[in-house]
Amino acid sequence: MYEIGQRVCLWDVQIFLGSTEARIIREVVVTVTETKTGVPGEFSKYPSPFESLRGIGEDGKIYEKHWELWPEIYGCNFSTVWSTRSDDGHMWTPVEALHLYNELVSHENEPNDFTLVDSIGNAIRPKGDFYYCEEHDSYWSRRIECFWCNIDNLSKRKRALARVLK
């Protein structure tokens, strides 16, 4: 769940076939100004259970996450991307940085040889409002604990319960 006022980092990423480098060619931090659910699906017209967002970027432009229609393709829920846009003649689909980082770099997704760099080759990490788990080198939306820490804690509780029940 997102909150009004929350800052979400969006990236335009470029990955070349066979490369292990993901280059962030555009970065914008968007402050969420509106949220809603129930946006109709693009083809089904059924209300989507996912949250649609609208916000203003640090560049002064309006950004939307499927505000009018929620895209539908079997096997993809589009929850980590925002609406495709054209800025300065360049068509791009903003991707939420924390999800991209977790998919490409997080050590929990081994084997993982990707490095994330900015447009001039420097290492880059997400900006904005989120929870960062140093132990698992992963990013999570606000108010969501690290999935991997939760799994570890669940395993510990199961082992402790098993010892008690012996």
Side-chain angles (χ1 to χ4, degrees):
M1 295 290 294
Y2 296 85
E3 299 172 339
I4 292 177
Q6 182 175 348
R7 295 175 311 123
V8 180
C9 185
L10 303 177
W11 283 342
D12 184 3
V13 63
Q14 186 177 58
I15 303 173
F16 293 103
L17 189 61
S19 174
T20 59
E21 181 179 273
R23 188 170 292 268
I24 307 307
I25 58 176
R26 183 185 314 245
E27 175 182 64
V28 64
V29 177
V30 174
T31 301
V32 175
T33 57
E34 297 177 73
T35 67
K36 67 179 178 180
T37 55
V39 171
E42 182 179 16
F43 302 111
S44 70
K45 305 301 182 214
Y46 292 121
S48 172
F50 300 109
E51 199 169 18
S52 297
L53 307 173
R54 181 179 278 162
I56 185 136
E58 60 194 3
D59 58 3
K61 297 176 183 175
I62 301 294
Y63 288 79
E64 294 179 337
K65 183 175 185 178
H66 321 307
W67 193 252
E68 299 297 329
L69 284 175
W70 197 275
E72 294 176 312
I73 294 177
Y74 180 74
C76 181
N77 66 18
F78 295 94
S79 63
T80 64
V81 299
W82 288 45
S83 300
T84 300
R85 53 189 299 122
S86 179
D87 292 310
D88 309 320
H90 174 71
M91 213 48 174
W92 66 293
T93 302
V95 178
E96 291 183 18
L98 64 91
H99 296 290
L100 185 64
Y101 183 91
N102 289 346
E103 284 292 318
L104 297 180
V105 177
S106 175
H107 300 293
E108 286 304 312
N109 296 321
E110 298 288 350
N112 212 324
D113 298 326
F114 273 96
T115 56
L116 280 171
V117 296
D118 64 15
S119 60
I120 57 173
N122 297 318
I124 189 169
R125 287 183 169 262
K127 295 179 177 103
D129 298 326
F130 48 75
Y131 166 73
Y132 174 69
C133 176
E134 194 170 327
E135 180 181 351
H136 296 104
D137 188 24
S138 58
Y139 290 88
W140 303 92
S141 297
R142 289 190 343 189
R143 290 199 254 150
I144 297 177
E145 291 183 50
C146 172
F147 172 80
W148 305 110
C149 287
N150 282 329
I151 294 295
D152 291 347
N153 289 336
L154 181 61
S155 295
K156 288 175 189 173
R157 286 192 299 262
K158 282 183 176 180
R159 286 191 301 272
L161 182 59
R163 283 192 299 270
V164 169
L165 295 175
K166 280 187 177 181

